[in-house]
Amino acid sequence: MVSADALTSETALLLLSSLYFQGNWDQQFSVSSTRKQTFYNHGKQQVSVDMMFASARSVNYGKSDLLNAQFLEIAFEKHHASMVVVLPDQLDGIYQLETKISEIFNFRDFCPGTVNIWLPKFRMDSTFNIDKILQQLGVKDAFDETKAQFSGTVSCADCHSPYIGKVTQKTYLQINERGVEAAAGQVVHVRVPLSGGRKQFKADHPFLFYIKIKDVVVFIGRVSAF
């Protein structure tokens, strides 16, 4: 979580906070059904990606005409957690969706049913310094050596009042046929059925997703390009 070059002679304290989640899908994708298919990077450029497939039963599906998007909730084992994928109707519709995050979280018009799902395998690994973001949100005095107030947090002889020097966020996420992160599990082979009126959910262009545990959102992200 912390690289050596992030520490200096002025570093007095590190506050580390982490969230780790590993889960298998309640209905796993079939490895043998994963195929190379087209994904539209940023809604424009066509690239070939590994696209997973599953004909899932009793999954929550919804469509919002207000948001111009489809919603799909994929449950993990034991149904304590799930991932919601939000797919805009337009190839480049993700940019409008990102301005309506509160409406996305408040969407509840789901109906259970059988859905043919195409979802690309992907992995996210990124590191961001979020000092400026926090200050733009109003957290300013904590970064100011003359204004920071952390009395009671650190106490020692000849110590100055501490202040925040840097805030870093690191993210790692992997989605595959078994679930989130690499995990052992039985693979159920499912053939691609005829549609027969079933809902079709094909994430072949940029989409948003969030993971929630007992209705508490713990992670939100987007896939816009490979």
Side-chain angles (χ1 to χ4, degrees):
M1 291 180 65
V2 181
S3 60
D5 57 4
L7 306 178
T8 69
S9 59
E10 296 181 349
T11 303
L13 175 72
L14 288 177
L15 177 62
L16 304 180
S17 176
S18 65
L19 170 68
Y20 178 77
F21 176 81
Q22 177 177 317
N24 293 337
W25 303 121
D26 181 59
Q27 300 181 61
Q28 295 181 4
F29 292 83
S30 170
V31 174
S32 63
S33 295
T34 298
R35 296 285 187 275
K36 290 290 186 181
Q37 294 197 29
T38 297
F39 185 91
Y40 294 87
N41 278 354
H42 305 293
K44 298 178 180 179
Q45 180 186 9
Q46 297 184 34
V47 296
S48 181
V49 302
D50 288 328
M51 190 74 73
M52 305 183 298
F53 173 80
S55 182
R57 302 177 301 277
S58 299
V59 295
N60 287 331
Y61 172 88
K63 182 170 174 52
S64 171
D65 293 331
L66 179 63
L67 296 172
N68 294 314
Q70 299 179 72
F71 288 74
L72 183 72
E73 183 175 14
I74 309 174
F76 294 102
E77 285 180 332
K78 299 182 180 179
H79 291 248
H80 293 313
S82 63
M83 185 174 82
V84 178
V85 183
V86 188
L87 180 68
D89 295 336
Q90 303 298 321
L91 292 180
D92 59 353
I94 189 173
Y95 305 107
Q96 292 184 349
L97 273 181
E98 288 179 329
T99 66
K100 303 175 181 178
I101 295 298
S102 60
E103 290 90 339
I104 288 174
F105 287 158
N106 289 326
F107 180 83
R108 295 291 185 274
D109 194 15
F110 287 101
C111 291
T114 300
V115 182
N116 289 341
I117 305 169
W118 288 265
L119 185 68
K121 295 173 64 173
F122 63 91
R123 187 177 72 176
M124 304 175 65
D125 191 353
S126 58
T127 302
F128 298 100
N129 291 328
I130 58 175
D131 308 1
K132 292 183 178 179
I133 296 175
L134 290 173
Q135 292 179 58
Q136 290 173 355
L137 291 173
V139 184
K140 297 181 179 180
D141 290 354
F143 290 89
D144 190 325
E145 183 177 4
T146 63
K147 297 181 179 180
Q149 295 291 332
F150 289 102
S151 58
T153 303
V154 177
S155 61
C156 63
D158 300 324
C159 283
H160 297 290
S161 178
Y163 66 97
I164 297 176
K166 187 176 184 180
V167 181
T168 303
Q169 176 177 287
K170 184 168 184 175
T171 300
Y172 174 82
L173 180 73
Q174 179 172 314
I175 301 292
N176 59 26
E177 290 90 352
R178 295 188 179 104
V180 172
E181 260 283 11
Q186 182 180 2
V187 177
V188 180
H189 296 272
V190 181
R191 294 184 178 180
V192 181
L194 298 176
S195 61
R198 294 179 179 179
K199 302 295 185 182
Q200 311 293 310
F201 190 94
K202 190 168 187 177
D204 62 354
H205 55 279
F207 58 88
L208 299 175
F209 67 93
Y210 61 90
I211 294 174
K212 60 180 183 176
I213 301 175
K214 295 183 178 179
D215 292 327
V216 176
V217 175
V218 296
F219 191 96
I220 181 172
R222 69 171 178 177
V223 175
S224 57
F226 286 87

